[in-house]
Amino acid sequence: MNPMLVNVVKGLIMDATRAANSGHPGGAMSSADYACVLFRDFLKYDPSDPKWFDRDRFVLSAGHESMLLYSLLHLAGFLSMDEIKRFRQWGSLTPGHPEHDLTPGVEATTGPLGQGLAMAVGMAAAEAHLRARLGADVCDHYTYVLASDGDFQEGVAYGAATLAGLWGLGKLIVYYDSNKVQLAGPTSRVDCTDYRKIYEGICWQVIDIDGHDHEQIRRAIAEAQQETGRPTLIIGHTVMAKGSASREGDFGTHGEPLSPEEIAATKKRLGLPEAEAFYCPAEVGGDFRGRQPALSRLAEAWRGNLADKKAHNAEFAAAWEWTTKDRGALTFEWPAFDPAKKYATRQAWGACLNALIEQLPPLVGGSADLDPSNQTAKFRDTVGNFNADTPLGRNLAFGVREFPMGAIANGIALHGGLIPFTATFLTFSDYMRNAVRMSALQKLPVLHVYTHDSFHLGEDGPTHQSIEHVASLRLIPNLLVLRPADAIETAACLEIALRQEETPSCLCLTRQGLPTLDPAVFPQVAAGVARGGYVLADCEGTPDVVLLATGSEVSLALDTVKLLKDLKIRVVSMPCVELFEMQDEAYKTSVIPEGARLYAAAEAGRPEGWHRYVGRKGLILGIDHFGHSAPANVLAEEYGFTPENLARLIRERLV
């Protein structure tokens, strides 16, 4: 390796953060030795295609060290020097933290610490499953992670790591840049953890090295690659801002650019031109790219083998087609639901999930230890649990780990080739909220299933009764929040979610049974759900009342109409506000027309969001307090979620 490579990378890190007057040079400099060795000597990628299917995945979990990754991507040919110079500027490909859908070569968006490591567990799990399904000649790559102290202090990383050890993800290799310093001071002030003991205790191989010794780094990576039954943690003992003239070990370098004087002195120490910014000589780049011709040949040979295998192996060709199929082209056959029966929408979801076992082979996922309650038990028992002995298992037994579950599902989606889902109670969506946010931010069409969606679950009490959660989830951009009214709407909502290409979905489902919307009476349901909101029951002429409802309150609205036969009432079912807002104004006005005497909404949750439809003077039947432990019918009476009370409120408003 050119002896100047690491120093040139450090120069780019210093110059870019200084030019932006913003950034994190210290950790990037302490990690530079490992990252340079990994990218130059080990990482498998296609120089012409950063999205090549069988590439190694590199996840910079320490996303604040983004300039380290951008420097390496520049040397690899994926980023221009102009983009390096535009670090953290509007419209650049080099934002403050890496974003996978923006910058070529970035595998995951890793601003929130800990989640990069957790997403990498999902990537490694996807690789192991697809290797078993497609063959090692098509899917056989490593997932590398560069993590910092902050990553390990976030519980999501540990939760995901326990599953990685349990699942025997031998092709997951995590490097811990242990420089003993974090943003606010030395790590000794906040952490006394022996990570060797911890990770050995959860079935990982652990290797300690000097993170600045290139030969130790090479040996550790090679040893990690040879361990096929356990993931590996390489603990690299390093120095913050290694190589700086006077700031080595200084926690202040974690989140602040070095001064011009310090940069000049450091460049002199490293043998770089003191007065030249963004110095990157051709010989250093040429040395870094020395393996690229061989990597290109490897990728071309892979493509040739893929074409041959598809042509001569029908079973593989079918599996590969599922692996690469556009989700927007998916079609489904859903189970029939008896119009004379009531179904909890979680029950309907379970029936639909079971129907997908054969219809949708790429579907993988599981529940946070709530399999019977989330209706995933039959899926689990039919497809088997994923682990080292049964990598073709499609059920992921996450245990009580909601946040890691969400982040792992994101990693599976990022890897590609599989369709992930998660499941828990709606109230526990709070535990995994930032993973859901990252699903949305990264444009990952993950399905998050939430059962027990309101106070109607009853006796379990206020800790389990969702009040604010649906409204809170609706605040996240690029997220579909689907709350179906019955079994028929549930199937329609699930189809919408599974056909998304860049948008995650939350499916919010009841525990209590709900009347089924008879297709003979309501033939418009499926088409209406696809538009987010639609006219479910109408009147002649301009309505006196337009009554909107979601989920369990749709049947409440229909029952209320029966008590108000002297009024003209239109009932609008709105299972997805986000989809409804995507419709044109003409459609929205056709559903919610002007001229009604009263606009009303009913939903067993926070009321505030409904003012956009009912206006300041409209009627909203919601709930703005925590629940109580009592039977569901008692709570409905106490909180006013009865046809009689809603009818009374409507009449009072019309006086």
Side-chain angles (χ1 to χ4, degrees):
M1 184 164 78
N2 189 309
M4 286 298 292
L5 172 60
V6 174
N7 292 349
V8 166
V9 168
K10 289 180 179 180
L12 294 176
I13 292 167
M14 291 188 293
D15 287 338
T17 53
R18 182 67 270 163
N21 194 29
S22 176
H24 301 72
M29 293 172 73
S30 69
S31 302
D33 291 287
Y34 174 81
C36 286
V37 171
L38 175 67
F39 269 69
R40 179 189 179 276
D41 298 342
F42 290 92
L43 197 70
K44 181 177 71 170
Y45 64 97
D46 181 354
S48 66
D49 180 11
K51 293 295 185 182
W52 175 43
F53 181 80
D54 201 34
R55 69 194 183 277
D56 288 338
R57 271 60 168 179
F58 172 77
V59 178
L60 182 68
S61 193
H64 54 280
E65 297 184 10
S66 59
M67 258 314 303
L68 170 60
L69 178 56
Y70 298 148
S71 298
L72 297 171
L73 293 176
H74 167 67
L75 289 166
F78 293 135
L79 279 177
S80 70
M81 183 59 78
D82 285 341
E83 293 295 344
I84 299 298
K85 293 177 180 179
R86 297 174 64 217
F87 177 56
R88 291 188 170 223
Q89 303 308 302
W90 175 266
S92 78
L93 297 180
T94 50
H97 290 82
E99 298 177 23
H100 90 96
D101 60 326
L102 175 69
T103 309
V106 172
E107 298 288 358
T109 298
T110 54
L113 289 171
Q115 286 195 66
L117 197 158
M119 286 187 282
V121 171
M123 293 178 190
E127 188 277 338
H129 179 85
L130 289 170
R131 179 162 23 102
R133 179 180 293 185
L134 302 173
D137 57 332
V138 172
C139 184
D140 186 21
H141 49 264
Y142 292 96
T143 302
Y144 296 99
V145 183
L146 195 163
S148 66
D149 295 288
D151 288 295
F152 286 89
Q153 290 169 21
E154 289 286 359
V156 64
Y158 174 75
T162 60
L163 291 170
L166 176 68
W167 294 340
L169 300 179
K171 299 184 83 69
L172 174 63
I173 301 173
V174 177
Y175 175 77
Y176 171 20
D177 184 58
S178 180
N179 56 41
K180 313 301 187 294
V181 169
Q182 54 196 89
L183 189 145
T187 58
S188 59
R189 299 194 312 179
V190 299
D191 198 357
C192 65
T193 305
D194 186 331
Y195 286 102
R196 167 176 281 278
K197 290 181 179 178
I198 291 292
Y199 274 71
E200 286 180 339
I202 55 173
C203 307
W204 284 58
Q205 172 180 234
V206 181
I207 304 169
D208 278 276
I209 63 170
D210 177 345
H212 300 304
D213 186 314
H214 293 185
E215 285 308 310
Q216 288 191 40
I217 293 170
R218 291 189 181 92
R219 286 197 299 269
I221 296 173
E223 187 177 344
Q225 291 178 337
Q226 292 165 10
E227 173 56 70
T228 59
R230 295 178 294 169
T232 296
L233 174 64
I234 302 171
I235 302 177
H237 298 279
T238 61
V239 177
M240 175 65 80
K242 176 68 173 177
S244 61
S246 64
R247 303 287 300 277
E248 286 191 345
D250 184 348
F251 72 87
T253 67
H254 181 290
E256 300 175 3
L258 301 181
S259 69
E261 295 76 16
E262 180 70 18
I263 291 173
T266 299
K267 286 182 176 180
K268 182 177 181 179
R269 181 183 182 187
L270 298 177
L272 303 173
E274 299 171 45
E276 184 175 347
F278 300 100
Y279 174 72
C280 188
E283 59 268 23
V284 169
D287 174 76
F288 184 88
R289 294 186 292 274
R291 285 192 308 129
Q292 286 196 351
L295 290 171
S296 295
R297 290 192 295 271
L298 179 68
E300 279 307 305
W302 180 90
R303 292 186 180 92
N305 175 70
L306 176 68
D308 183 70
K309 196 169 182 178
K310 286 195 295 182
H312 296 94
N313 185 329
E315 182 179 356
F316 170 80
W320 181 253
E321 182 181 1
W322 275 115
T323 302
T324 56
K325 194 168 187 176
D326 290 338
R327 286 180 55 163
L330 295 175
T331 58
F332 306 98
E333 293 290 334
W334 299 116
F337 297 99
D338 187 344
K341 292 183 178 180
K342 289 185 176 183
Y343 300 90
T345 52
R346 66 159 177 165
Q347 183 183 0
W349 141 254
C352 292
L353 175 63
N354 297 335
L356 290 172
I357 291 173
E358 298 297 330
Q359 293 187 61
L360 194 59
L363 184 68
V364 300
S367 165
D369 198 47
L370 292 168
D371 306 45
S373 296
N374 292 153
Q375 301 287 298
T376 60
K378 184 175 181 180
F379 176 83
R380 174 199 65 200
D381 296 340
T382 303
V383 303
N385 287 320
F386 169 80
N387 57 48
D389 296 326
T390 55
L392 284 173
R394 291 161 57 190
N395 184 75
L396 302 171
F398 290 110
V400 188
R401 300 183 180 94
E402 293 89 353
F403 193 2
M405 172 177 70
I408 288 170
N410 288 343
I412 293 172
L414 284 163
H415 181 279
L418 298 172
I419 298 174
F421 75 89
T422 71
T424 186
F425 289 175
L426 179 56
T427 190
F428 302 140
S429 64
D430 283 343
Y431 278 135
M432 59 188 293
R433 182 178 179 84
N434 203 260
V436 176
R437 182 177 189 267
M438 294 303 289
S439 299
L441 197 154
Q442 296 181 98
K443 302 177 183 177
L444 306 177
V446 177
L447 170 62
H448 300 291
V449 177
Y450 298 123
T451 67
H452 299 59
D453 73 342
S454 72
F455 71 80
H456 284 285
L457 67 96
E459 292 88 346
D460 277 344
T463 59
H464 283 49
Q465 293 172 12
S466 296
I467 304 299
E468 73 279 18
H469 299 83
V470 170
S472 178
L473 289 168
R474 287 181 181 140
L475 296 176
I476 299 175
N478 191 43
L479 179 68
L480 299 183
V481 182
L482 302 146
R483 189 166 184 253
D486 79 324
I488 307 297
E489 278 200 1
T490 298
C493 286
L494 181 56
E495 181 155 340
I496 289 166
L498 292 174
R499 296 187 66 195
Q500 294 303 307
E501 299 278 5
E502 294 187 337
T503 304
S505 303
C506 296
L507 193 56
C508 304
L509 306 169
T510 68
R511 188 179 75 167
Q512 77 276 21
L514 300 176
T516 302
L517 297 171
D518 187 344
V521 179
F522 303 104
Q524 74 274 38
V525 170
V529 169
R531 305 190 78 165
Y534 63 101
V535 178
L536 180 63
D538 209 358
C539 59
E540 292 185 3
T542 301
D544 296 311
V545 181
V546 176
L547 177 55
L548 292 77
T550 78
S552 51
E553 287 63 65
V554 172
S555 56
L556 170 64
L558 293 174
D559 288 341
T560 299
V561 171
K562 297 174 185 177
L563 303 179
L564 299 169
K565 294 181 179 179
D566 56 316
L567 295 175
K568 293 189 293 182
I569 302 178
R570 170 179 287 189
V571 175
V572 173
S573 176
M574 194 174 290
C576 186
V577 170
E578 296 79 21
L579 283 176
F580 185 73
E581 285 301 311
M582 293 178 192
Q583 308 308 310
D584 59 39
E585 286 301 317
Y587 177 77
K588 288 191 283 188
T589 300
S590 74
V591 174
I592 307 176
E594 298 179 356
R597 294 167 60 195
L598 176 67
Y599 295 86
E603 184 173 59
R606 294 291 307 196
E608 290 83 359
W610 291 104
H611 284 292
R612 76 164 86 177
Y613 300 117
V614 305
R616 185 172 61 85
K617 296 182 179 180
L619 170 65
I620 303 172
L621 177 61
I623 181 168
D624 58 4
H625 55 79
F626 293 119
H628 296 82
S629 179
N633 62 323
V634 173
L635 295 177
E637 289 282 349
E638 293 292 335
Y639 300 157
F641 281 78
T642 64
E644 293 77 13
N645 184 61
L646 182 53
R648 177 185 63 81
L649 294 173
I650 289 172
R651 286 199 183 279
E652 289 178 353
R653 287 297 184 94
L654 289 174
V655 172

